[in-house]
Each structure stands twice: as structure tokens, then as C-alpha cells.
Amino acid sequence: MNRVLVTGGAGFLGSHLCERLLNDGNEVLCVDNLYTGSKKNIEDLFKNPYFKFINHDITEPLNVETDQIYNFACPASPPHYQSDAIKTAKTNVIGAINMLELAIKTNSRILQASTSEVYGDPQIHPQPESYRGYVNPIGIRACYDEGKRMAETLFFDYKRQHNVNIKVIRIFNTYGPKMDIYDGRVVSNFIVQALKGEDLTIYGNGEQTRSFCYVDDLIEGIVQMMNSKERLTGPVNLGNPLEFTIKQLADLILDLTGSQSKLVYKPIPDDDPIKRKPVIEIAQDELGWKPLVKLEEGLKKTIDYFKKVI
Ligand code: NAD
Ligand code: UDP
């Protein structure tokens, strides 16, 4: 039985990951400061004697016994990570250092949840891992984008200097049950607005694109990456390469919910990427992984979840 630490384990992705790891027979230690996560997301897991929760901020050092570390702590929605940008930068950078130091002490393998945001507003489309990105270092998204880029740098420096066993994944937009109602990301916003009969808020003209991955597909890829051969450090893109405009997403959600809500157009936030779509050849070739859940199918499950919680 592995002792697995999940930072950010009470968040959207972290809570799904904790559940999966427990089901696989691991002992799971969930570390979270409940900044954007919630105990509600993990309430079912407390019944399992192999699950433990520690309320801890990863910008402070942590001393625990562990064999594997999944570093997921960091707010992921733009309104949340921008609301205290300095804290976001600290979580990404100091948090990564603290977890890498713990990996040295415990001789643990450590996986970093990086992001497609390291590509910024990409000038190459779709984005392969070899693309170095186009990030505004002084913009409102930089605390997150540059923070995640620095975390990647630290992971590779700790590997070079201390031979830490690292894995880095770049996650593209993922959605599903347990997203927070007030999270502010597009899928949860549109579904909640549609179900409440409120206007769907499209930022800009709605022609910008994203490629949406259902959470179960992503979690499978994450676990496979953690347990892959040591030489596969990444970075590896994980996401669904099917690309949609935001307007298409809004129309599909209106259709699936049967909502009479209208679309309203709001100003687009600064530095909002125009296009995003992953190249997933490395994940396919090295892990044999590819997403299986179609957007319509994943949205239906997500809508069913939100119907129960709003
Ligand atoms: P989330 O906001 O739901 O979860 C983040 C969790 O981290 C929350 O439970 C929060 O309380 C916790 N946290 C934040 N700062 C912390 C700190 N300093 N110490 C301890 N805990 C802290 O977001 P999510 O969608 O679950 O994202 C999880 C990770 O995956 C993040 O690192 C994010 O950057 C990455 N990611 C997510 C997506 C996506 O589409 N969901 C895409 C790319 C990358
Ligand atoms: N978006 C939108 N309406 C919303 C929330 C987001 O049109 O209510 C847009 C946002 O401007 C971006 C896209 O949807 O172009 C994805 O936004 P999200 O915050 O989900 O993720 P990210 O921008 O980090 O990919």
C-alpha cells in the first residue's frame, strides 16, 4: 500500500483524485487550506479509514511520511487566482519548493499539476509540449501562468540537482461534478446560469476556443502518468483535443438543459487566450491514454450534478 499525499485534495480535481487513489487501495493524505476547496467535496471519503485530511497551507513546510506526492494546491479559476495574486504566486513557487523538499526527505515520487496556461495566448495552434509559450509576464494572469512556469522550472532543477523523481503534466480545461457553483469558470458558470434561468455571460464575442476534458478521463491520465516509467518526466499535455468556441459551448448547454436563458456579451478580460487545443501525442504514445468522454456526455453528467446542488 502506497502512502499518497494530495495537495489541494479538497478542490475539484483533487477530490476526484483522492477518491480514485483510495479505490486503488492507497492510503491517502489530503492536504488543503480550503481556500477554494471544500470539505463537502471529500465528505464521503472520511468514512474510509485510509483517508486523512490535514488543514495546511503549502506555503508552509510540511513533515509527513509519504511515497508519492500529487501537487495540486492552487486556485485554478481566473477570478479566484487573481483575487490575491501575490498569494497565488507564493502557492505556486514556495508551495512547489516545500513539496519538492518533502520529496527529497521522504524519497517520494512527485507529480506537478501544471497547466495549458504555460502556453499563454498561444501563437502556435494546437499546442505541443515543445512550444515555449507566449505569456505576458506583467499581466493579470501572470501570477498563475508565470507561477506555474516557475514551478515547472523548480521541478526540473530539483531533478538535475537532487535527482528527484519528478512528473509534470500540463492540464487543459477540465470540467465535471464537484466544480464549485461560484468557481467562475466557463462550464460551471454557464450551467448554473442556464439552470437558474439567468443570462449566460459570454466574455468577448464568444469566438475564442477551448478544448474541454471530462474529469474522469483526466484523472485516468494523471494516475497513469504518476505510475509511468521513471524516464518519462514530462511535461506531458493532458486534455481533450476536441475544440469548441465559447458560443458553441453556450448553445450546447442551453440545448442540454432546455433553458430559456439568453446570451449576453460582456467585455473580455485582459490576456484571455484566443485559442487553446492540446497536442496529446506524447500521452497517447507513452501512456496509451486518450480521452473517451464526448463533451455532450460529460456535460449531461455535470448538469445532473449541478441540478442536485443548486
Ligand atoms: P480548485 O480551485 O477546485 O482546487 C484547488 C485546491 O487547492 C483547493 O481545494 C484549494 O483550497 C487548495 N489550495 C489553494 N491554495 C492552497 C495552499 N496555499 N495550500 C493548500 N491548499 C491550497 O482547482 P482545480 O480545478 O481542482 O485545480 C487543481 C490543480 O489543477 C491546480 O493546481 C490547477 O492549477 C491545476 N489545473 C486545473 C485545470 C482545470 O481545468 N481544472 C487546468 C489546468 C491546471
Ligand atoms: N468565459 C465566458 N463566460 C464566463 C466565464 C468564462 O465567456 O462566464 C470565457 C473566458 O473569457 C475564456 C473561456 O470562457 O475565454 C474559458 O474561461 P475559464 O475561466 O473557464 O478558463 P480559462 O480562461 O482559464 O481557460
Side-chain angles (χ1 to χ4, degrees):
M1 182 182 268
N2 273 324
R3 288 161 304 185
V4 186
L5 166 63
V6 180
T7 76
F12 161 49
L13 295 180
S15 57
H16 283 275
L17 183 58
C18 288
E19 187 180 349
R20 163 67 190 262
L21 293 167
L22 284 170
N23 289 341
D24 286 352
N26 299 288
E27 192 178 321
V28 174
L29 175 59
C30 167
V31 164
D32 203 298
N33 67 353
L34 303 178
Y35 183 55
T36 52
S38 152
K39 278 201 175 168
K40 190 115 195 75
N41 285 338
I42 47 171
E43 64 183 357
D44 290 346
L45 309 184
F46 282 102
K47 292 174 210 141
N48 189 319
Y50 296 109
F51 180 73
K52 198 172 156 202
F53 172 77
I54 303 181
N55 190 331
H56 175 88
D57 191 310
I58 63 158
T59 60
E60 301 296 331
L62 181 67
N63 269 313
V64 291
E65 288 302 322
T66 164
D67 303 306
Q68 293 186 336
I69 304 168
Y70 290 86
N71 189 31
F72 275 64
C74 180
S77 125
H80 283 138
Y81 71 64
Q82 287 163 19
S83 74
D84 187 346
I86 295 167
K87 177 71 189 182
T88 300
K90 284 183 181 167
T91 295
N92 277 317
V93 178
I94 302 172
I97 292 173
N98 285 332
M99 291 309 115
L100 285 159
E101 291 291 336
L102 179 63
I104 294 179
K105 243 185 250 165
T106 55
N107 197 22
S108 294
R109 181 175 275 206
I110 180 166
L111 179 143
Q112 168 68 0
S114 190
T115 165
S116 53
E117 284 283 323
V118 300
Y119 302 121
D121 186 10
Q123 309 292 294
I124 290 198
H125 193 72
Q127 294 81 52
E129 290 84 347
S130 55
Y131 178 49
R132 292 185 186 174
Y134 187 70
V135 173
N136 174 3
I138 57 169
I140 55 171
R141 294 175 89 100
C143 59
Y144 184 76
D145 299 11
E146 298 287 18
K148 289 282 185 181
R149 287 168 69 97
M150 187 64 211
E152 286 198 11
T153 306
L154 285 162
F155 267 66
F156 282 86
D157 284 337
Y158 269 78
K159 178 170 180 57
R160 282 185 283 263
Q161 278 180 243
H162 298 288
N163 203 24
V164 175
N165 190 342
I166 62 157
K167 304 274 171 189
V168 175
I169 53 167
R170 292 180 178 156
I171 303 169
F172 283 65
N173 296 65
T174 300
Y175 69 97
K178 294 192 180 173
M179 291 184 94
D180 188 72
I181 301 177
Y182 305 106
D183 181 76
R185 280 177 276 187
V186 68
V187 173
S188 47
N189 270 11
F190 284 178
I191 292 178
V192 171
Q193 289 162 342
L195 291 177
K196 287 185 169 172
E198 295 168 358
D199 293 341
L200 270 61
T201 51
I202 294 190
Y203 304 158
N205 61 11
E207 290 305 310
Q208 71 270 37
T209 70
R210 295 293 187 272
S211 307
F212 298 100
C213 185
Y214 187 64
V215 62
D216 291 357
D217 279 335
L218 181 82
I219 297 294
E220 181 59 36
I222 292 170
V223 173
Q224 284 189 24
M225 180 64 181
M226 175 61 107
N227 297 299
S228 63
K229 44 192 171 274
E230 191 169 336
R231 69 161 179 78
L232 183 67
T233 54
V236 173
N237 286 343
L238 291 181
N240 191 323
L242 288 178
E243 188 182 11
F244 294 84
T245 67
I246 295 305
K247 169 81 166 57
Q248 284 173 328
L249 176 74
D251 289 338
L252 184 55
I253 289 174
L254 286 182
D255 193 34
L256 294 174
T257 53
S259 170
Q260 298 302 307
S261 292
K262 305 265 171 303
L263 306 182
V264 290
Y265 291 83
K266 305 258 181 190
I268 193 150
D270 282 350
D271 297 331
D272 198 292
I274 301 294
K275 288 181 187 175
R276 183 180 291 155
K277 167 180 163 142
V279 174
I280 59 164
E281 272 168 31
I282 296 183
Q284 273 176 317
D285 294 349
E286 298 282 346
L287 304 173
W289 175 87
K290 65 172 188 215
L292 302 173
V293 181
K294 300 237 158 42
L295 182 60
E296 193 170 319
E297 189 191 334
L299 285 177
K300 279 185 188 158
K301 292 182 184 179
T302 312
I303 290 165
D304 286 346
Y305 167 79
F306 278 109
K307 275 184 184 163
K308 285 187 214 129
V309 295
I310 60 174

